[in-house]
Every structure is written in structure tokens, then in C-alpha cells.
Amino acid sequence: MLTRIDHIGIACFDLDKTVEFYRATYGFEVFHSEVNEEQGVREAMLKINETSDGGASYLQLLEPTRPDSTVAKWLDKNGEGVHHIAFGTADVDADAADIKEKGVRVLYEEPRRGSMGSRITFLHPKDCHGVLTELVTSAPVESPEH
Ligand code: V0V
Ligand code: CO
């Protein structure tokens, strides 16, 4: 079951400048940052609020690390802006399987590694009315990966 907006992914050309905009304009601070080589992104997570399922909602600011990454391709075509939305679930495997049954393309056979040790998969934007949609199961709080 999808129980929260886990994050909104925002593509930017310059992560440091964009982080500074969100800090100076809204007062949001960086909760976590990392490079995800597989996804070709350097990212900053800005925590917005806790959620009733025990999780949280974030903004995920994304800068490409290489010109052939999905985010670099998207920035070339569209410029900066909202790149994807991510729904949180306690069981990404089960929700991805259910959604696939409904005829929506799930992009990964098995969930991959996402921010903060989460497990993530994506749904094709062409099957979701133009919205690249991610499903996320957060790492357990006591995970040694934290
Ligand atoms: C592409 N399209 C999009 C889109 N990206 N539509 C809405 N939102 C997006 N973000 C449209 C594009 O305009 C084309 O439409 C069509 O899909 C095919 O796009 P393309 O440019 O030819 O690109 P593809 O097919 O090579 O790749 C598109 C997909 C790719 C969605 C398959 O971006 C992908 O695999 N995304 C999932 C991984 C990802 O995005 N990683 C970065 C975030 P027309 O022109 O044909 O009409 S990593 C992350 O979020 C992490 C680590 C985390 O949360 O923890
Ligand atoms: Co994301």
C-alpha cells in the first residue's frame, strides 16, 4: 500500500546553488546527500515533514554526474524542474507487482538501491499520464547502512 509522498525529485544543473536557493528562500536544510553512480546523480534530500506511516516526505534535488544519465538527458530536453514523484510503501516488491498486473510498465525487474539505503523502482511515465513515478521502501531505521 502506498502511504505517503516520499519525495518529489527536482532536476537541476547546479546542486549547490539549488540547495542554497531552498535554504535561503524556505529555510529547508540538507538532511542527507550522496552520489548514486548507478543512477548517475548527485543528490540532496531536504526533509519537509514526518508522515503518519512513520516515514517522511522530502524534496530530492538531483544533479547529473555524467552526460548520458537519465537526468542529464531530461535536463537537455526540458531544463530544470520537477523530474519525478515518489510514493512510499512498506513493501515495494508487492506494490510493484500489483501495479505491473494493472498493465503499467515497471522499469526494473528487481528494486534497486535508492537514497539512504532505500529500495526503489520506477513506473514508465508514458503509462502514468506523463509522470515518472517512483516507488520507495525506506531502509529500516536501525539499518547499518544508515
Ligand atoms: C522521459 N520522459 C519523461 C521523463 N523522462 N516524462 C516525464 N517525466 C520524466 N522524468 C518521456 C520523454 O519526454 C519521452 O517522451 C519518453 O518519456 C522517452 O524518454 P527519453 O528521453 O527517450 O528517455 P528514455 O526512454 O531513455 O528514458 C526514460 C525513462 C528513464 C523514464 C525510461 O528516464 C528512466 O529509466 N528513469 C528512471 C531512473 C531515473 O530517472 N533515475 C534518476 C533519479 P516523448 O518525447 O517520446 O513523448 S534517481 C532517484 O530518484 C533516486 C536514486 C532515489 O530516489 O533514491
Ligand atoms: Co527519486
Side-chain angles (χ1 to χ4, degrees), residues 17-130:
K17 278 192 186 150
T18 309
V19 162
E20 178 51 22
F21 170 81
Y22 279 90
R23 195 199 61 71
T25 309
Y26 309 115
F28 297 143
E29 301 287 347
V30 175
F31 179 80
H32 173 86
S33 61
E34 69 180 73
V35 171
N36 186 323
E37 286 297 353
E38 182 184 26
Q39 296 289 340
V41 294
R42 189 162 82 91
E43 53 143 275
M45 296 294 266
L46 315 181
K47 191 174 188 173
I48 308 303
N49 58 274
E50 311 276 339
T51 55
S52 57
D53 61 2
S57 296
Y58 303 85
L59 295 183
Q60 180 177 57
L61 307 180
L62 300 158
E63 178 193 87
T65 55
R66 46 173 204 270
D68 63 337
S69 68
T70 55
V71 171
K73 271 179 67 178
W74 190 86
L75 279 166
D76 282 348
K77 193 170 165 186
N78 303 286
E80 296 185 311
V82 175
H83 177 260
H84 65 272
I85 63 167
F87 296 121
T89 166
D91 190 345
V92 62
D93 301 84
D95 282 308
D98 284 354
I99 290 168
K100 189 177 177 182
E101 282 285 301
K102 294 174 185 171
V104 174
R105 277 169 288 171
V106 177
L107 295 182
Y108 303 149
E109 197 77 32
E110 288 290 327
R112 296 185 184 172
R113 188 183 191 288
S115 188
M116 300 183 279
S118 59
R119 297 176 69 243
I120 63 172
T121 195
F122 288 90
L123 311 179
H124 200 288
K126 292 294 177 191
D127 296 347
C128 302
H129 296 267

